[in-house]
Amino acid sequence: MKNKVLIVNFVLLVLTICQSCSSYHATTSWADVDTINIDKSLHADSILFSTYFKAPKVIPLETKKECLIQNVRSLEIFKDNIYILDDKVNKLFVFDKNGNFKRSISEQGRGRGEYLELADFSIDRKNEVIYLLDEAADNVLKFDLKDYEYLSTIKTERNGYRTYSMLTIGNRAFLNRTSVTEEEKYELKEIDLHSGKQIGKLLNSNEYNNGWNFPLRLPFSNFYSKNSHPKYVGLFSNVIMNVTDDGVCPAYVVESDDFVKENDIRHILRNVDKNMEGLDFSTIYFQHKIHQISRLVEFSKYLCFQYLQGDDRKYLVYDNEFKKAQISSFFFNDYVCDQNNIPMDLCYSDKKGVVSLLQTSYIPYFIEHVIKKGKLKTGLEHYASLMRLKANSNPVLFYLEYK
């Protein structure tokens, strides 16, 4: 009986979500959705990079005064250039394929082509332009990628509270939308990039995200696989969405008896005011509730993402061919060293491989627990450069081609 109720609820949820994008002529139906059941998945002690990838190309990003990186918010690779947005220093940096610094794009200010607060960016590969999201001014800035010339500013309408993630497809932009006091709560607003006008409201938060629409920024963008098969997932949603020319529709449903429910979110929001005072996740941590699907990448025939169970980080790799998932608390870059607890998260994927990132904040731990303890594997490309890392060095990228 319980399984029948779950199936009925699942179908109703997916149909509701599909109806929300039916005006965009979406082609994905609930029958196309893969279900990933966490409770029935194989739980392993660890998952190794070497199982899926070849030995990495190591890319130590050049460390110079004009390109010191504190936090990688978004990363894309296009035509042998690496684009990195640092939301702490408020800059978009460009490095070549070997990690040499080339330039930054625009700068903070109120002048022509300048921004106040960068939140995200998106590359139109067909037309070779890049769009920068200025969340403070509600602007989208457009630059030519051939010469980095400023082209135009698209002024979007203020709607909701904060917007900090963006994906562009053709002449449209999808922006995440958050609210504090607004009665109308939905996840995405669709913007016409010619006029800046809002032309769509997508994903009712009560139906899609267990009622959550509060402004809380994840470590990376809420949009994933931007350059291949774009995805979106909400903070407390178990439905991973496809984002296409036709709008949004479900791609995967993640199931577990432990996934957060609407009542859990209501409990969290009960005492929160518009200044985010009183925000407390201790209940879902204590009860080991599953939430926050993030850092999603697609490679070869696999889907990989992280989620939290309570406050414990979990990694899940799903085989799209055999419809099986493997889960572990550890996803090791075993090409670099033997088992360690230093995150080297996957943050980008394309047709050839993925990028694993050693963030600036973890470099001191990497020096202390890998380099100084003699655990760094000597056969690794750029071994000497890694041995010379300093606590204030820029991040290191590991580009791993698929096996």
Side-chain angles (χ1 to χ4, degrees), residues 348-380:
Y348 170 87
S349 61
D350 58 27
K351 293 180 180 179
K352 294 183 178 180
V354 299
V355 171
S356 168
L357 170 67
L358 176 60
Q359 282 269 30
T360 307
S361 57
Y362 290 111
I363 288 180
Y365 300 96
F366 185 80
I367 294 172
E368 183 68 25
H369 297 286
V370 176
I371 294 177
K372 288 186 177 180
K373 292 184 178 180
K375 294 183 178 180
L376 186 66
K377 294 192 175 180
T378 57
L380 190 68

Side-chain angles (χ1 to χ4, degrees), residues 288-322:
H288 300 287
K289 294 285 187 175
I290 293 175
H291 62 289
Q292 197 181 124
I293 295 172
S294 65
R295 295 174 175 89
L296 184 150
V297 295
E298 295 174 280
F299 56 89
S300 186
K301 63 175 182 175
Y302 300 100
L303 170 79
C304 177
F305 59 80
Q306 294 180 29
Y307 64 89
L308 292 181
Q309 183 151 19
D311 57 356
D312 294 330
R313 184 200 313 241
K314 302 287 186 180
Y315 297 87
L316 184 148
V317 179
Y318 178 69
D319 188 319
N320 281 293
E321 180 180 348
F322 293 102

Side-chain angles (χ1 to χ4, degrees), residues 244-381:
T244 72
D245 288 337
D246 296 321
V248 297
C249 269
Y252 299 91
V253 172
V254 183
E255 290 185 344
S256 172
D257 291 340
D258 296 321
F259 218 100
V260 291
K261 304 294 191 298
E262 184 178 353
N263 287 339
D264 300 316
I265 306 308
R266 285 180 180 175
H267 179 79
I268 292 173
L269 295 178
R270 191 169 296 143
N271 299 315
V272 180
D273 62 26
K274 64 181 181 180
N275 296 316
M276 295 184 71
E277 295 292 334
L279 190 62
D280 183 6
F281 294 127
S282 60
T283 301
I284 61 175
Y285 290 163
F286 179 75
Q287 296 178 354
H288 300 287
K289 294 285 187 175
I290 293 175
H291 62 289
Q292 197 181 124
I293 295 172
S294 65
R295 295 174 175 89
L296 184 150
V297 295
E298 295 174 280
F299 56 89
S300 186
K301 63 175 182 175
Y302 300 100
L303 170 79
C304 177
F305 59 80
Q306 294 180 29
Y307 64 89
L308 292 181
Q309 183 151 19
D311 57 356
D312 294 330
R313 184 200 313 241
K314 302 287 186 180
Y315 297 87
L316 184 148
V317 179
Y318 178 69
D319 188 319
N320 281 293
E321 180 180 348
F322 293 102
K323 310 301 181 185
K324 294 181 178 180
Q326 187 178 34
I327 297 171
S328 179
S329 298
F330 304 102
F331 197 6
F332 291 124
N333 189 342
D334 53 318
Y335 286 111
V336 175
C337 58
D338 292 326
Q339 294 187 358
N340 66 83
N341 294 327
I342 301 171
M344 297 186 204
D345 295 328
L346 302 182
C347 64
Y348 170 87
S349 61
D350 58 27
K351 293 180 180 179
K352 294 183 178 180
V354 299
V355 171
S356 168
L357 170 67
L358 176 60
Q359 282 269 30
T360 307
S361 57
Y362 290 111
I363 288 180
Y365 300 96
F366 185 80
I367 294 172
E368 183 68 25
H369 297 286
V370 176
I371 294 177
K372 288 186 177 180
K373 292 184 178 180
K375 294 183 178 180
L376 186 66
K377 294 192 175 180
T378 57
L380 190 68
E381 183 187 50

Side-chain angles (χ1 to χ4, degrees), residues 141-157:
L141 283 68
K142 183 178 180 181
F143 292 83
D144 192 322
L145 279 180
K146 293 185 285 293
D147 54 14
Y148 298 102
E149 179 183 355
Y150 165 72
L151 298 176
S152 63
T153 294
I154 301 102
K155 178 66 178 177
T156 69
E157 300 176 78

